[in-house]
Amino acid sequence: MRGERDVSQWTWSRDQNDYYTSHWNQNLNQWETVWKQDVDSNIAPPDIDLRNLPAESEVDSSIVKAGVIYQELDEFQKTALAEHLEEVRAQRTSWTASTSEYPYCIERDEKVYHPLNDSQEMRVLELFAGRKENAICCKLHVCSVGFKYPSTPKPISADIPRDSLEGITFTPHTRHAVSYTAGQPVWYTALSYVWGDPAFIRPMICNGKPFKTTKNLDLALRYLRRTDTAVLLWIDQICINQDDPKEKTQQVILMSKIYQRAWSTVVWLGKEANNSNGALETISTIAGALQYYTDERAPDLEDFERMALPAPESAKWFELSDFLSRPWFQRVWVIQEIVLSHNIHFMCGEKCIPWSDVELFIICMEKHDLIRYLNSSMATQRQVSQSACRHIYEIYKLKSYNDPFLSQSTLLSLLVEGRGAQATDLRDKVFAVMGMSSTIINPDYSKGVFDVYAEAAQPTLSSNNLISMLCCVDHAHPAADHPSWIPDWGIPRQTTSLGYLGRMHGVYKAAEDTKLQSKTKPGGSSLAVVGMLFDTISNISALADSFLQDLSNNKSPTSEFVTRSMHLAMKHCQPYPSKSGLFDAFWRTLVAGKDETGSTKAPSDFAAIFALLIDSATGSSPSMPDQPNPKRKLTLENLKFRRPSHTYRQMQVAFEAAVKGRRFGTTSKRYMGLLPRGTKLGDEICIFSGGYIPFVIRRQATSSSYQLIGECYVNGIMNGEAMQMANLKMQDIELV
C-alpha cells in the first residue's frame, strides 16, 4: 500500500528546506549568472534545447517521490527493523536526540561530501522539484543498506495450513535503505545510465554548493525531475565521492546491495533521436505479436504481415538496429544493474517502456531467430545491435534465476557473460560482475589489469571449471607480459566457444572419464596440467571471414573458404584415419560436430545440404570421392521451402558458430579440424586430463614449457579415441 506520510513525521522537510532555501537563495543570483555564462560559452552544448523539453515524462510513476510510503511493513518487519535500529544505536555514541529529530543529517560546512561511517553506508540523492530549464538543485542523505529482513516461519497466505509449512521459512524482500538518524526506511530509485563524455562540465547545486556533472547525466536529471515534488535517487556519479579512491572501492563492493535494495530502477538511454520512439513501439509490437507463438522457427515471410510484424525490408528494422546500438546496451555494468533490480523501466527521451516489454521482445528475437533481420547501412552497427540483443538475452536468463541460485553463480560464468560488453576501465570487467557471485575481489584500482584477471582466475584453479576457463582463451597471439592460459577479459571474444559448456552438454568427451590433474607453480605465472600430446599441425587455411555470408552464394568469400578447406582435406587427409569417411569428417568439422544450439550433436540432415552447397560451388557432382548421393533431388531452389529452409538455416547457424574467427587445418597424422586464429605450422594438439576438448599449444624455444593458443575441434578424437591409442602417454605439460 502506498500513501502520504503523516506531516508530523516529516517536520524535517520544513526545517531542512528552510535552511537549504536560505543557503541556496544567497547564491542563486550569482549561480544563475554562472549558469547563463556556461550556456553562452557552450559549456552546456547547444544540441540540447533546455527551453523546449517536455513538461513530464511517462516514467514519473516509477520514480520514488520524497515523503511517500512505498511499502506498508507488517509487525514482523517493524519489529525486525526496530531491533536493528536499537543495535545500531547502542553501537553509535553519536546518536543523540537532537539528530534523531531529523531523518537526515544536514551538512552545514563548505564540503559536499563527508566520510561515510561504515562499510554499509551510501548516499541517496534528493533531487528538488523544478522545471526542466531551471538550474538543478539537490542534496545528499546518508543511509545504510546493511539491514536485511530475517527469515520468518510466517506463512505467505492465511489459507495455507501451518502444519503443512513446518520447517519452512520465508524471507521478506528488503526494498529500501535505512536512515539511522531518522530511524526509518528510505525508498529510492537507482539510475542505470552511461556516463558518456567523462568531462564534468554541467553546473548544478549539491548540498548548497557548486557542483558539476557530465552532459548525459545533466540531461537525465532534467527528464527525471518532477515539477511538483522532490524525488529520491541513487546515482553513482553524485552519490559516490569520485575524488576519494578508498570510498570508490568500498562503494563498488556495495553496489550489488544498492541495486537490490532500490524500490525501482530507471534505465536512461538518452534523448529521442532517429525515431527512437518508433523503435520502442516496435519492441512492444514484436513482444505482443509473438507472445503466444509456439513454433521455435522464424515465421515464414508471408506470415509477417498477418502477425503485424515489420516486413523484412521495413525501415523499422533499421530503427531497431540504431536503437540497440546505443552505448548503454554495450556496458558491462548493466548486467548487475538489471539482474539485481526490481521494477525496471527503460526511458529514452520522454518515452518509457517497462522491462517486461524489453524482456519479452528479447526472448522473441532470440527464440524465433529474428535477430538476423536487424539491418543497418553499416555492417559494424548491424553486428553491434545483434550483439546487444544476445547480451540482453543472456542478462534475461541470469535474471530469471531465483536469488539462492544466483548467489551461487560462478565468477567465471559472469566474466564470460560480460566479456563482449564495454568498460572504460578494463578492470571493471571483473569488478562490475563479482557482486553477483560468491567470490569477492577487492576492487583495488591501483592494481594492473592483468593482476586483477589473475586474481579472478584463482577460484577456478581449485575447481572443476579449469578446462572451461582455458576454453575462454581467445587471442590472436599470446602476450609476452602475462600468462597465456589466463583469459584476457578486456578483449571481446572473436569466436563462439566450442568447449566452455562442454561438460554440461556432453557433446565432446576427448579425455573420456580421466580426472583433471593440475597445479600452479610458485608465483602463479605457470600452470602444470597432466595431458597428452596428440599431433602436430601441418597445414592451415586462411582465417574465416568475421562477417560470414550465406553459404548458398557460391561466389562469396565464405563459399571460397569452404572449397579451399575441402581441397586441403582431399590433399592431406586421405584415407581418413578414423572410421568415418572423408566427406562425413569434412562436413562435421565445418559445424564442429554440433547443431545450431551448440548443445547436441549435429544431425545427419546437414549432410545432404552440405553436399548440395559444395557441388554448387565446385560445379561438379560429387565433389568429394565418398560423397553419398541424396535419396531425393535437392536444389538451391528447394532451400526456399519451409522444411529444407529450416534445416538449412539451422546448419548455417551451426556453421557460423563453429567457423567464425577460426582456421581449417590438417595434422601430420591426416586428421582435420578447426583451429584458433593464432595457430601456426608446427603447433601441437594436446588433450588435458579431465578435458572434453583438445587444445592447440606452442612449445617455447628456450624451455620445455608451452603457450596456450586456444581450444580446437579435431574430427576423430572428440569422443575419447586418443585415450585408446597405445603409443600416446600422459605427461606434465607446463603452460606459461
Side-chain angles (χ1 to χ4, degrees), residues 35-47:
W35 174 263
K36 291 175 182 178
Q37 290 173 350
D38 285 344
V39 173
D40 292 341
S41 63
N42 286 334
I43 292 180
D47 59 329

Side-chain angles (χ1 to χ4, degrees), residues 191-263:
L191 184 66
S192 176
Y193 70 111
V194 175
W195 276 40
D197 185 344
F200 291 83
I201 59 175
R202 292 300 180 89
M204 61 181 289
I205 298 173
C206 184
N207 283 1
K209 292 100 182 175
F211 195 83
K212 288 191 176 183
T213 61
T214 60
K215 169 185 169 182
N216 191 41
L217 179 56
D218 174 88
L219 185 61
L221 291 172
R222 295 179 184 282
Y223 275 89
L224 293 167
R225 180 167 55 178
R226 295 180 61 93
T227 58
D228 58 342
T229 186
V231 296
L232 299 177
L233 305 167
W234 183 86
I235 304 172
D236 62 344
Q237 193 180 124
I238 302 176
C239 295
I240 300 175
N241 184 355
Q242 301 298 325
D243 294 325
D244 185 342
K246 184 177 179 181
E247 180 178 306
K248 286 174 65 177
T249 294
Q250 188 56 49
Q251 292 291 290
V252 168
I253 296 175
L254 209 58
M255 214 165 285
S256 58
K257 281 188 179 181
I258 290 173
Y259 279 93
Q260 284 175 318
R261 301 290 193 269
W263 180 256

Side-chain angles (χ1 to χ4, degrees), residues 36 50 86 98 101 104 112 127 179 198 213 275 279 343 403 452 460 478 485 531 541 545 590 641:
K36 291 175 182 178
L50 298 177
E86 284 299 322
S98 60
E101 292 176 4
Y104 307 99
V112 173
L127 178 61
S179 167
T213 61
N275 198 20
N343 188 20
D403 288 347
V452 174
T460 306
W485 52 273
S541 74
D545 194 340
L590 291 185
F641 294 106

Side-chain angles (χ1 to χ4, degrees), residues 290-299 359-371 389-390 393 396 596-597 646:
L290 295 174
Q291 184 172 4
Y292 302 109
Y293 183 71
T294 57
D295 194 336
E296 292 194 4
R297 295 177 291 188
E359 178 184 56
L360 188 53
F361 162 76
I362 290 296
I363 294 171
C364 292
M365 292 289 286
E366 179 73 20
K367 181 179 179 182
H368 304 301
D369 194 25
L370 295 176
I371 293 178
C389 263
R390 296 187 176 100
Y393 181 72
Y396 146 73
E596 78 284 359
T597 69
H646 181 53

Side-chain angles (χ1 to χ4, degrees), residues 558-576:
T558 303
S559 181
E560 184 178 348
F561 171 84
V562 173
T563 54
R564 289 188 175 183
S565 298
M566 180 192 70
H567 292 313
L568 269 180
M570 292 176 65
K571 183 177 181 180
H572 299 288
C573 298
Q574 295 194 73
Y576 202 70

